[in-house]
Structures are given as C-alpha cells and as structure tokens.
C-alpha cells in the first residue's frame, strides 16, 4: 500500500512538472470553406491558444487546420518554435479575404513570417495546401458561424 502511494505521488509530481504547452487541449472548432475546399479548423482565439498553436504536433490531416483570431487587424508575425510539421500560413483581413501565403519550415526560430498588410486572421494548414488546392489571393474564407477573439 505504501509503495502504491509512493508511485502515485511520483507520477503526480512528474505530470505536474510537464510544460503546459505539451498537453493537447480540447479546442473550439469551426467548419469552413476556402474556394471549393471544406476544412475543419481548430480556433486559437485567446492569448494562450494563440501562443501554443500547433506546437508539438507530429501530424495533421489534409482537411484540418488552425485558425488564429486576433482582436483587431494589425501587422502579424508568426514563427515555427516547437512546431514539428511544415506548414503553410495564410493571412486574412477583417472580412476574411486571403491577403498572402507563406510556406514555413518546421522547428526553427530564425525566420519570422510577417504579414505585408494588417491582418485579423491567420490560417495554418499543411505545407503546400494553398497551392495544391489552387486557392488564390483574394479568396474568401467562409465560416459556418461567427467567431471572435477573446482576451
């Protein structure tokens, strides 16, 4: 009995020492379309979910992505710290119109991907997704419901 309590205590201490961003969290999702492609998006709309993003993930399906929602349109910057899969990033204005895309290299912090214009939304998908699906600049992202940023 004492040994069992000791083992549970050690496991509890080990679990509580793990960095919070290494745990997958249950995130809000939204269904969307971009061009003629349907996609299921996890929503990163508060400071903690935006900070973690897709860190520590090892895969993502082709019909999945993450939509980052910011409180206002402003110049945005992304990097790939602790992000293990190569991603494409699309910046969108307040009307959800695609402004530009970037292909991003996994697990590096030397390169920063800046928006050329103020953006309110950013969409991360598997690398090459925009090109593969022939999504042109100016295409609108259509969401199944309204989402907003939380502070």
């Amino acid at each position: 009995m004492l040994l069992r309590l000791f083992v549970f205590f050690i496991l509890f201490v080990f679990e509580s020492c793990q960095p919070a961003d290494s745990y997958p969290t249950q995130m809000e999702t939204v269904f969307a379309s971009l061009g003629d492609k349907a996609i299921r998006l996890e929503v990163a709309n508060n400071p903690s979910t935006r900070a973690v993003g897709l860190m520590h993930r090892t895969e993502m399906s082709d019909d999945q992505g993450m939509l980052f929602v910011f409180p206002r349109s402003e110049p945005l910057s992304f990097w790939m710290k602790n992000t293990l899969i190569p991603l494409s990033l699309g910046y969108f204005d307040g009307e959800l119109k695609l402004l530009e895309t970037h292909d991003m290299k996994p697990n590096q912090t030397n390169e920063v991907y800046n928006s050329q214009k103020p953006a309110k939304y950013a969409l991360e998908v598997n690398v090459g997704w925009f090109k593969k699906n022939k999504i042109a600049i100016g295409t609108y992202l259509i969401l199944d419901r309204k989402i907003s940023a939380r502070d």
Side-chain angles (χ1 to χ4, degrees):
M1 177 69 175
L2 198 54
L3 178 61
R4 189 178 298 172
L5 284 174
F6 178 73
V7 169
F8 284 128
F9 174 76
I10 295 298
L11 288 174
F12 173 77
V13 169
F14 176 75
E15 288 294 318
S16 64
C17 292
Q18 296 297 311
D21 64 6
S22 68
Y23 289 106
T25 58
Q26 185 71 356
M27 294 185 71
E28 178 181 358
T29 59
V30 63
F31 291 93
S33 61
L34 192 57
D36 63 352
K37 288 297 180 185
I39 188 167
R40 183 176 59 87
L41 303 174
E42 292 180 66
V43 178
N45 63 346
N46 64 56
S48 62
T49 57
R50 288 191 299 260
V52 174
L54 292 170
M55 285 182 179
H56 307 292
R57 305 229 188 147
T58 56
E59 61 184 15
M60 186 168 59
S61 68
D62 288 337
D63 63 346
Q64 188 178 357
M66 182 170 283
L67 183 64
F68 295 79
V69 183
F70 294 87
R72 65 194 127 315
S73 292
E74 60 188 335
L76 299 178
S77 298
F78 276 65
W79 66 344
M80 294 287 283
K81 179 182 178 184
N82 297 322
T83 305
L84 307 175
I85 52 178
L87 297 171
S88 287
L89 170 69
Y91 285 118
F92 293 79
D93 68 11
E95 303 299 317
L96 291 165
K97 181 174 74 172
L98 180 61
L99 302 171
E100 63 190 270
T101 64
H102 301 269
D103 288 339
M104 303 187 297
K105 300 172 195 147
N107 203 24
Q108 55 84 32
T109 57
N110 296 329
E111 195 165 354
V112 177
Y113 304 91
N114 300 308
S115 64
Q116 299 301 308
K117 296 178 181 176
K120 187 172 180 180
Y121 303 90
L123 173 61
E124 289 183 338
V125 290
N126 286 315
V127 73
W129 189 90
F130 293 102
K131 289 178 187 168
K132 175 181 149 187
N133 292 297
K134 298 180 174 102
I135 306 299
I137 301 302
T139 302
Y140 284 86
L141 179 65
I142 309 296
L143 304 176
D144 71 348
R145 62 187 162 75
K146 185 178 178 171
I147 55 171
S148 58
R150 298 182 197 148
D151 290 327

